[in-house]
Structures are given as C-alpha cells and as structure tokens.
Amino acid sequence: MKKQRMSRLGILRVTLVGFLSIVLVRIGYVQASDHFLAGIEQNQWSSEEKIAPIRGTIYDANGDQLAFSMPAYDLDLYLPGIQQVGSVKIQQLSSELGQIVGAPTSVIEQALTRKDVVWLRLYPYFVHVSLAKKEQVVHVFHQMNIGNDINPYKTYERVYPDGDFASQVVGFVDQTGNGAGGIEREYNQYLAGQSGSVQFMQDDLGQPLPFDSVLTKPVQNGDRVYLTIDAAIQNYAQEALATIQKRFTPAHAAIIVADPNTGAILAMATLPTFDPNQYYAYPASTLDTNWAISDPFEPGSTFKIVTLTGALATHAINLNQTYMSGVDYVNGVPIRDWNLWGWGRITYRMAMIYSSNTGFIHIGQAEGVQTLYHYIHLYGMDQPTGIDLPGESNSILFDPNHLNPVDFATMTFGQGLAVTPIQQVAEVGAVANGGDLLTPYLVQKIVAPDGQVVYFRKPHIVRRVASSAIMNEITNVMIQDVNQDPGLMAYVPGYNVAGKTGTAQIPSPNGGYVPHKYNLSFIGFVPAHHPVLEIYVTVNEPLHAIQFGNDVASPAAQFVLEKSLRYLNIPPHGVAASSMQNQYQKTTYTVIPNLIGDSYGAATSALQTTGIREQWISAPGVVAYQWPQSGTDVPLSSRVILDAQGPQSTANGRVTVPDLHGLSMVDAVSICSELGLSLIPSGDGYAFSQSVPAGQSVPLGSEMNVTFVAYH
C-alpha cells in the first residue's frame, strides 16, 4: 500500500510539474506577444513628419535677389481611386485640371489613366504650384467626390525673378529640389539647408494624439550666397550678346568681364541661354554647357600674348628686332600671314600690332619649345583655373616631347592647341595686374540664417608669371594694337584700352580645318595702366561675310567697356576724378531685426537705429508679419515691409488685399504668395497701381493686376 501511495504521489508531482511548465510557457508567450504587439502598436501609431528647409537666397554684388524660394505645393494623385470614377468623369476632370494648371487636356487624361503607377505627381504641372492653384485643384476633386485621391504637400518653389539673367552662372534647381547647374549646384551644400522633423503619436486617422509628447529636430534653413556679379555690367554684356545674336546668329558665344586685380567675375553671359524658371523646356546641351568655361577651342591670336611673354622674359628677342613678313617655310610647309603678302620687313612690335603669324613663328623659334611650355604653365593654361562653377574643362595641348616643328610653329600664334575662355581671362588678367596669376571666382561671401559669415573669399594668387616690367611692356604693345590698327573697333575715346583680337579656324573632325568657319574673339583691359575692367568676347561660327575678330567681337567689347566705365564713374585721361562723382562705393550692409510682436512705435524706433526704412501694407499696429525676415543682410537704406494683420488664415477662404504701391516686383510677388493672392505683373520696376484696392476683402486665390514703373 505504501509503495502504491508513493507511486501515486510521483505521478501527481509529474503532473503538477508539467502543468506548471505549461502555465509558465503560456505566461512567457503572452508577455512576448504583448511586447511584440506593443512594438507593432508603437510603429503603427508613431509618426515622423519632415520639415523642409527654405533654400538659401542668391544675391548679386549689390544685394539684389537672383534666386529665392517661395511657398508652394506639390500635388500627389492616387490613380486607382481616380480611375474608379469612369472615363466620362476622367475626361471632365482632365479638362478642369488642364484649365487650372495650364496643361493640355490630353496630357492630363493620359496621365490619369496610367496603369503602371499608383501615385503620380504630374511634372511640371502638379509640382510647385501656388497656394491659389492648389486650392482650386483640391476644390475640383471634392466637387467630384474624389477628395481623398489627392494629397497636397507643402514645399517651396525656386523663383528666378529676372528669367535668363546670368542663368549659366546662377544655374537652376531640379524637381528633387537639388541644385543642378551653376552656383545652385556648386554651393548646394550651403544653399540646401537641413530638414527638421516632428515625431508624434497618432490615432488611426493619422491625427496627432492630444497631450502626447512631441520630439522636434529643428529645421536649418539654407545659407545666403552673395555673388561678385554686378547687375549693371551683366546687363551690358547680355545686351551686347543679344546684338551679336541678331546680327551674326552664331553657334554660340560668351562675354566675360572681370576685375583683373582680384579675379572677381563681374559679368558672365553666354549664348545660347535659358530661363531657369522653365529649365525643363530647354535641351540638355544648353543646360549642361557654359561656353565661358566648358568648351576649349583654338584661341588664335589672343594666345600670342603667352608666346611674347616667354620670349621677352628670357630675353630671346627684343621688340625692335626686324624680320621679313609674308610667308615662312617650316619643314618645307609654307605658313602665311592672314593678308597673304605681309607688310615687308617689320619689327616684332609691329608683328603684335598687325597680328603677323610669321612674326610669331620667329619669336617662338627664338624662345624654344621648353620656354613656351613653361610660360603656358605659368599662365595656368595647362590646368583648369579652379573657378567656383561646375563643368570647367581643361586645355588640350600637344605633348612637348612629341611635337613636330610645324605643330610648334602653329602653336606660337594660337592654332593647334585649345584653351577655355576663362583660362584666357586668367592669363590676360596677369598681364593687367602686373604679373600675378589669380584664381577667378564668383562667390564673395556666404551668410548663415543667423547672420554669421560662414565663408568669405579673398583673392588667391596662384603664382607669379613675370615681372611688372615685362607685363608693362606687353601692355604698351597691346595699347598700340588697339590705337593703331585702323580696323580695330574696341577703342573707347578718352581711355587707353589694351587689347588683342583673335581669328581662329575651327578644326574638322576629319582633320584639317572647316572652310569659312571661325572662332572670333577680343580680349583686353581698361584703363590700361590702372585697370579696373578686363573683358573677353568670343563668337563661334558667326554668319558674316568678313571673318575677323575686330569686325565681330571688338564692337561688343567696346559697347560693354564704354557703358561700364561710365557706370563705375572711371574718369577719362586728363579729367580730374574730383570733377566726376566719386567711384562707386562698396555696398554697406545691415541686418534686419526681428519686429514680430512689436508695437508701431517700438518697430519704428528699432528700424531708425539700423538705417532701414519701413513700409506698412496695412494700417500700422502690432507687427504680425515682416518681409524680409529677421537676420537678413540688406544694404543700408533698404526697406522692410510690415503688416499688422499677417498672412490671413485660409479657414474663411478670404484675404485682405495689401497696399503694394512702391514695392519692387520681387517683394510684391513674395507678399502676394504668402497671402494667397495671384499677382499678374506688367511693366518693370516698382508697383505703381493695382487693380484691387488695398484693404478690400477678396476670395483666396484672387488675381490682381499690378503695373510696375521704373522710377528715374
């Protein structure tokens, strides 16, 4: 009996142990499941929303905006939901959307019926649309009971207020929001800023749960980039190119204006050009090619400056030596002057003035291959200049160790090698400033949103090329080149212009040269012995009966130089500087204070201490809105726009019209965008009249015609 009882107890123990094991396993499973489900719940209910930064503004040398960002919306369409409404409604929807966004109905309809995608953002029609257009599109979707099939995202639209002004310099921003050309690309890391984020718990409808903690990563807006481009000089260059385009219809052309004492680029204009607001309408060849820096070509006679420098610096020749012009035989190959018969026996000085090819063959032979290549290097023409733009190319040179006499002879007068325009600007800049090769540049400073200068550019001397005495000797010959050549048209009355033209044949892909096609150019600086401006003009394949640089390129150089000298108040020779206005002063900047929440009196007092003027677009009161934002660098005597009402809420669908009188087009467009009004401008300059009176309440998205007048 005892053994039987013990056996039963053993069975009971085993049973209890087994039961307890099952219970413990179940408890562990439930705990693990709860932990797993809690993780799923956390993932499903927690959400993170990114806050897009405002891309930094690009300014010219005078503080005017060349590129800025304004509020906009991207519209995402859920195609499966839209396609359920049927073909008739899709046709109606396509027609109404096309009228709003300016797209053909067929394009919209084709996009809405696609089967290969779920979400669609129709480019460019539903990308970066204004607040007014977004509201119109959303209204159409709600009217057709498909409001859940459109998802607007708030973003920013990149605006280039002056269209194609310096477009190859400024560049453009692609549909992803990244810089895709010019300064926009080169300095994208500064301009782009850094996104912020908001993390929160949400309900099953995606709404943030009340009283729950919110974790934020602050957004960092982009830095402001200030260029060396002078708007007036850039305008002169573009005006000159427009004349070239009209008269000669070249394949392409470029004008560069620089300060030879610093390397700062004051103007850079190219043909063909483009409007960065609609970059997608242009071929890739136009967007990707800045002819001022990216296309090496045979320079022709402008390269003779390099050959002459090496010969003079090594005392291989002196300018008063003579030679017989007309024709020279190199290894039995005849090489002739451009006028075929020459000018008889002349000096090497006259060889430069008359642009004699045979004269420079003699000069090159006197200095030798190694010396010429040494000065090609000293002038930086064997490597990119390092200008702060994307896409710069390098020169194309013969290997000096495998150079035959004929190729060397043609090199001496600028044929058989290829260099870029910007390399030639750096080259002649060294002559102008007395011997220093400088790195050309376009950005003078970068300023963070808080006003801190994060980058400041100083002139960079690459190396010394030759003594000031040698450069002065070359300058004097270049002055004679402009003054004594009866065909040269770059002469500016009252000023010594040092210059040189170039007429270069265009190589054929099959060898030799293309008949009757040339690259024509002029390069020079003024005033010759105290230069403030250097200019380079290049015109490729002009349609013109006479193919010489002094007929095609020099007039454009003369136009830009004459206009720019007057603009800069540079006195002619023999005219005292005191009899003219002082030379243009460097712009002094100040920082706009934060005025939000200030009373009328406090805001006025704060602005008086900074030298900034105020303008109210509503009745004065407590400041609810200001433009530009606090922390912005602006020139002294600039104006800040103040509003006591602030951007109107879209809840009631109405907005109060501001008083735009006296505002620039950039300021007027920016303010109307913030308020949800559609501004239709006409004219140029400052707001003179508006079709809707200030203070009137109008529906959100209303259009308003504003006339702008240039004040003199």
Side-chain angles (χ1 to χ4, degrees):
M1 289 292 294
K2 186 176 181 180
K3 286 183 179 181
Q4 190 176 13
R5 200 179 303 118
M6 291 294 291
S7 176
R8 289 175 179 172
L9 288 173
I11 293 171
L12 181 61
R13 288 193 191 98
V14 170
T15 303
L16 288 172
V17 169
F19 177 74
L20 288 173
S21 298
I22 292 172
V23 170
L24 291 173
V25 169
R26 178 62 180 170
I27 291 172
Y29 172 78
V30 170
Q31 288 178 334
S33 298
D34 287 346
H35 181 73
F36 174 72
L37 291 172
I40 294 177
E41 178 183 54
Q42 180 75 16
N43 290 335
Q44 287 180 340
W45 283 2
S46 68
S47 180
E48 179 177 273
E49 180 178 338
K50 286 190 175 182
I51 306 172
I54 302 176
R55 190 172 179 86
T57 300
I58 300 175
Y59 298 87
D60 67 14
N62 298 316
D64 291 327
Q65 294 174 320
L66 299 179
F68 63 92
S69 294
M70 64 193 325
Y73 288 84
D74 290 343
L75 305 179
D76 285 353
L77 307 180
Y78 181 62
L79 296 187
I82 294 172
Q83 291 164 3
Q84 290 178 1
V85 303
S87 60
V88 175
K89 281 194 172 183
I90 286 179
Q91 289 177 356
Q92 179 188 348
L93 178 62
S94 300
S95 176
E96 294 194 39
L97 293 181
Q99 292 178 21
I100 296 172
V101 300
T105 300
S106 59
V107 172
I108 299 287
E109 186 175 352
Q110 184 179 9
L112 296 183
T113 54
R114 289 180 61 177
K115 301 294 185 181
D116 55 333
V117 293
V118 175
W119 284 96
L120 175 72
R121 183 177 299 168
L122 186 57
Y123 184 82
Y125 304 110
F126 280 15
V127 176
H128 304 332
V129 301
S130 66
L131 171 62
K133 284 189 177 181
K134 183 267 290 187
E135 293 291 325
Q136 289 176 291
V137 171
V138 170
H139 178 69
V140 169
F141 271 76
H142 281 293
Q143 272 191 327
M144 301 186 68
N145 296 320
I146 50 174
N148 293 330
D149 296 325
I150 182 169
N151 192 5
Y153 285 95
K154 188 171 183 179
T155 183
Y156 295 95
E157 178 184 10
R158 198 62 167 170
V159 177
Y160 303 90
D162 297 316
D164 67 354
F165 181 84
S167 58
Q168 290 288 3
V169 172
V170 177
F172 63 98
V173 172
D174 63 20
Q175 64 185 96
T176 67
N178 289 313
I183 294 296
E184 293 276 29
R185 177 177 176 179
E186 187 75 8
Y187 288 89
N188 188 67
Q189 60 177 327
Y190 291 96
L191 291 163
Q194 296 182 7
S195 299
S197 62
V198 178
Q199 295 180 347
F200 55 88
M201 298 295 290
Q202 64 182 8
D203 60 20
D204 55 358
L205 296 177
Q207 300 298 319
L209 293 175
F211 313 115
D212 206 343
S213 60
V214 176
L215 303 176
T216 0
K217 175 186 174 184
V219 66
Q220 182 178 327
N221 291 328
D223 299 330
R224 302 188 295 275
V225 173
Y226 292 81
L227 305 185
T228 58
I229 294 293
D230 188 297
I233 300 175
Q234 178 73 26
N235 270 320
Y236 300 147
Q238 293 194 189
E239 190 175 346
L241 274 187
T243 300
I244 287 174
Q245 173 70 26
K246 184 177 180 180
R247 291 184 61 194
F248 307 121
T249 58
H252 57 80
I255 296 179
I256 305 171
V257 183
D259 180 347
N261 303 297
T262 64
I265 302 300
L266 307 179
M268 182 179 285
T270 61
L271 287 177
T273 186
F274 67 95
D275 181 352
N277 294 297
Q278 298 178 321
Y279 69 89
Y280 45 82
Y282 296 84
S285 58
T286 298
L287 300 177
D288 298 340
T289 307
N290 179 347
W291 295 106
I293 67 170
S294 60
D295 186 47
F297 57 84
E298 296 193 9
S301 295
T302 55
F303 182 80
K304 291 174 179 175
I305 295 167
V306 178
T307 305
L308 186 60
T309 304
L312 291 176
T314 57
H315 306 290
I317 60 126
N318 70 69
L319 292 173
N320 294 321
Q321 287 177 261
T322 63
Y323 75 100
M324 180 58 70
S325 64
V327 62
D328 203 11
Y329 290 87
V330 180
N331 277 16
V333 177
I335 302 177
R336 298 181 179 277
D337 282 316
W338 60 267
N339 69 350
L340 302 181
W341 55 86
W343 302 267
R345 180 166 290 276
I346 59 175
T347 64
Y348 287 137
R349 185 187 310 275
M350 298 308 295
M352 183 71 164
I353 294 170
Y354 289 153
S355 202
S356 167
N357 293 339
T358 58
F360 274 83
I361 293 174
H362 286 281
I363 293 172
Q365 290 171 339
E367 65 182 300
V369 173
Q370 296 305 319
T371 297
L372 179 58
Y373 270 81
H374 177 61
Y375 278 86
I376 287 173
H377 169 70
L378 290 179
Y379 271 119
M381 305 189 82
D382 58 348
Q383 58 189 10
T385 66
I387 189 172
D388 47 349
L389 279 177
E392 183 184 9
S393 296
N394 197 6
S395 55
I396 302 172
L397 302 170
F398 287 113
D399 182 347
N401 298 316
H402 302 88
L403 184 64
N404 65 57
V406 174
D407 288 336
F408 175 64
T410 59
M411 274 187 65
T412 62
F413 52 84
Q415 296 272 187
L417 75 162
V419 296
T420 64
I422 196 63
Q423 285 177 315
Q424 294 186 77
V425 169
E427 164 214 333
V428 175
V431 177
N433 67 42
D436 290 329
L437 179 68
L438 302 173
T439 301
Y441 65 96
L442 280 151
V443 170
Q444 54 174 297
K445 68 175 179 178
I446 301 176
V447 181
D450 62 3
Q452 180 183 357
V453 178
V454 297
Y455 173 86
F456 184 81
R457 180 63 182 256
K458 295 181 179 179
H460 174 245
I461 299 175
V462 180
R463 67 180 69 88
R464 188 74 172 168
V465 178
S467 69
S468 57
I470 294 296
M471 295 309 192
N472 187 62
E473 196 170 5
I474 295 172
T475 297
N476 287 333
V477 178
M478 292 174 69
I479 294 172
Q480 290 178 288
D481 193 355
V482 173
N483 290 346
Q484 293 188 28
D485 189 331
L488 197 59
M489 300 174 64
Y491 175 74
V492 179
Y495 299 87
N496 276 335
V497 179
K500 187 77 191 78
T501 58
T503 302
Q505 294 174 283
I506 295 177
S508 169
N510 302 319
Y513 291 92
V514 179
H516 311 302
K517 288 191 176 182
Y518 298 87
N519 202 320
L520 310 178
S521 59
F522 173 87
I523 195 163
F525 49 92
V526 65
H529 292 295
H530 302 283
V532 295
L533 295 171
E534 178 192 357
I535 190 168
Y536 181 70
V537 179
T538 173
V539 183
N540 180 266
E541 297 185 27
L543 299 179
H544 193 257
I546 304 175
Q547 296 281 353
F548 294 109
N550 55 5
D551 295 290
V552 177
S554 296
Q558 181 196 44
F559 173 84
V560 175
L561 291 178
E562 190 169 20
K563 292 276 190 180
S564 300
L565 289 167
R566 187 180 303 132
Y567 159 70
L568 297 175
N569 293 314
I570 306 301
H573 297 301
V575 178
S578 59
S579 67
M580 303 182 64
Q581 296 179 2
N582 291 330
Q583 286 192 15
Y584 70 110
Q585 302 293 319
K586 289 190 177 296
T587 304
T588 303
Y589 292 88
T590 187
V591 178
I592 289 182
N594 183 12
L595 304 172
I596 303 298
D598 285 0
S599 66
Y600 168 71
T604 302
S605 177
L607 291 175
Q608 285 177 347
T609 62
T610 62
I612 302 173
R613 297 173 294 139
E614 64 183 278
Q615 177 168 339
W616 293 83
I617 58 174
S618 62
V622 176
V623 179
Y625 172 74
Q626 70 177 72
W627 179 271
Q629 299 174 352
S630 61
T632 303
D633 280 346
V634 296
L636 284 176
S637 300
S638 292
R639 175 171 46 200
V640 61
I641 287 66
L642 303 177
D643 186 9
Q645 298 176 3
Q648 301 296 302
S649 169
T650 61
N652 61 6
R654 301 191 70 81
V655 62
T656 301
V657 175
D659 181 6
L660 303 177
H661 183 77
L663 298 186
S664 70
M665 190 178 295
V666 170
D667 289 340
V669 169
S670 300
I671 290 169
C672 285
S673 172
E674 287 284 343
L675 297 177
L677 293 172
S678 179
L679 186 150
I680 302 175
S682 62
D684 191 21
Y686 300 87
F688 179 75
S689 64
Q690 57 191 76
S691 61
V692 183
Q696 184 172 322
S697 176
V698 298
L700 184 70
S702 294
E703 293 183 347
M704 180 168 59
N705 296 299
V706 179
T707 301
F708 293 84
V709 175
Y711 295 156
H712 297 286

